[in-house]
């Protein structure tokens, strides 16, 4: 009986380091939409082998932060990539339903968590000097926590795991969208969503969430560049 050779620990550690740097660079806007991610250039930049870079790139592709182009290597996705619209369609189908389930089944402890995560979101710094042109890591985590907590009252682990995957897959589009809708008031959107949820108004809360998700996707297709914060 034979066993498949595993990746040497040293190579795996280097790959993880390059992956982390590359992921941060994309998230912070150092690579623009559509930019090529050339393995040879990245290997030289990070002082590692092509094999290490390719492993890191495949991890980034797996997270939806890059695409693999047939016979053309790797690149950051375009604004117009159909995948962003498909993810939004999936989220608009699933998340309002999960929110309705949460409003129906969520207990007082869930209500308290919704209020606490919204408070944390309001207080988190949206932009931090030195973290690039997109919103801060602290705000991004507070934003994710608020949206996930809204849905946790559904008490369905499979649905929540699906939400987690879709959230990660849509993170880059969300960051791009935050700079393409200068008139958008994300603070009010989140406040109204929290209020409708805690009032147990499932119809209003579901509609607000659907609108919230739609605005993010729309920003990638027909809105000009400009600063904002949201979904």
């Amino acid at each position: 009986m034979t066993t498949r050779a595993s990746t040497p620990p040293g190579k795996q550690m280097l790959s993880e380091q390059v992956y982390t740097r590359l992921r941060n660079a994309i998230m912070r806007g150092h690579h623009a939409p559509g930019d090529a991610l050339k393995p040879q250039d990245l290997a030289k930049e990070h002082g590692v082998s092509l094999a290490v870079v390719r492993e890191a790139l495949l991890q980034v592709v797996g997270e939806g932060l890059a695409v693999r182009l047939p016979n053309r290597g790797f690149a950051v996705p375009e604004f117009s990539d159909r995948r962003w619209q498909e993810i939004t369609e999936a989220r608009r189908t699933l998340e309002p339903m999960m929110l309705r389930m949460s409003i129906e089944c969520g207990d007082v402890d869930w209500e308290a968590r919704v209020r606490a995560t919204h408070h944390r979101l309001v207080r988190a710094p949206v932009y931090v000097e030195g973290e690039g042109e997109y919103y801060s890591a602290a705000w991004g985590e507070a934003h994710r926590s608020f949206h996930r907590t809204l849905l946790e009252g559904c008490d369905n682990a499979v649905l929540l795991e699906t939400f987690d995957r879709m959230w990660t897959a849509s993170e880059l589009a969300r960051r791009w969208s935050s700079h393409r809708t200068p008139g958008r008031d994300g603070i009010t959107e989140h406040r109204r969503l929290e209020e409708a949820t805690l009032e147990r108004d499932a119809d209003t809360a579901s509609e607000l969430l659907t609108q919230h998700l739609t605005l993010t996707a729309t920003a990638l297709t027909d809105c000009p560049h400009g600063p904002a914060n949201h979904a």
Side-chain angles (χ1 to χ4, degrees):
M1 177 177 172
T2 59
T3 58
R4 191 168 56 184
S6 60
T7 303
K11 180 181 175 185
Q12 184 174 1
M13 185 169 65
L14 282 174
S15 176
E16 287 293 332
Q17 291 172 353
V18 174
Y19 155 74
T20 298
R21 293 177 197 152
L22 182 56
R23 186 184 193 279
N24 288 341
I26 295 172
M27 286 291 199
R28 293 176 179 181
H30 298 161
H31 297 285
D35 276 0
L37 299 170
K38 299 178 180 178
Q40 296 89 341
D41 293 347
L42 292 170
K44 184 176 180 181
E45 177 185 343
H46 295 286
V48 297
S49 69
L50 277 174
V52 167
V53 166
R54 288 187 180 279
E55 282 194 20
L57 281 166
L58 289 174
Q59 281 187 274
V60 175
V61 169
E63 279 201 324
L65 303 179
V67 292
R68 192 170 188 178
L69 307 173
N71 304 316
R72 288 163 50 202
F74 302 86
V76 179
E78 299 275 4
F79 283 134
S80 59
D81 194 314
R82 174 167 169 73
R83 187 167 176 272
W84 306 131
Q85 306 305 319
E86 291 175 341
I87 292 171
T88 300
E89 183 179 350
R91 292 186 65 194
R92 281 190 307 220
T93 300
L94 185 66
E95 291 180 35
M97 177 195 70
M98 292 174 67
L99 183 55
R100 284 182 175 276
M101 292 170 64
S102 291
I103 289 171
E104 179 180 348
C105 302
D107 58 15
V108 173
D109 288 340
W110 167 72
E111 289 183 357
R113 293 196 304 273
V114 169
R115 178 144 289 168
T117 54
H118 179 258
H119 181 73
R120 190 174 297 115
L121 175 60
V122 171
R123 293 300 184 94
V126 181
Y127 298 105
V128 172
E129 187 176 353
E131 284 200 21
E133 64 177 292
Y134 300 134
Y135 54 70
S136 71
W139 189 90
E141 174 54 26
H143 186 223
R144 184 202 66 80
S145 180
F146 171 66
H147 275 271
R148 194 184 198 279
T149 301
L150 286 174
L151 308 181
E152 284 176 353
C154 76
D155 197 27
N156 185 306
V158 174
L159 288 174
L160 289 168
E161 287 168 7
T162 302
F163 165 84
D164 290 337
R165 289 195 297 273
M166 291 194 298
W167 185 272
T168 299
S170 60
E171 178 63 13
L172 186 56
R174 193 159 39 248
R175 288 175 180 243
W176 288 343
S177 171
S178 71
H179 276 253
R180 291 172 65 86
T181 48
R184 187 173 179 187
D185 185 355
I187 293 173
T188 298
E189 288 179 40
H190 289 125
R191 177 179 54 76
R192 292 178 65 201
L193 187 52
E194 181 221 20
E195 290 173 349
T197 298
L198 294 182
E199 288 169 3
R200 304 280 180 161
D201 184 345
D203 289 341
T204 299
S206 297
E207 179 60 27
L208 287 171
L209 181 55
T210 299
Q211 293 172 4
H212 188 66
L213 298 172
T214 300
L215 285 171
T216 298
T218 301
L220 296 183
T221 55
D222 56 17
C223 288
H225 288 281
N229 65 78
H230 17 281

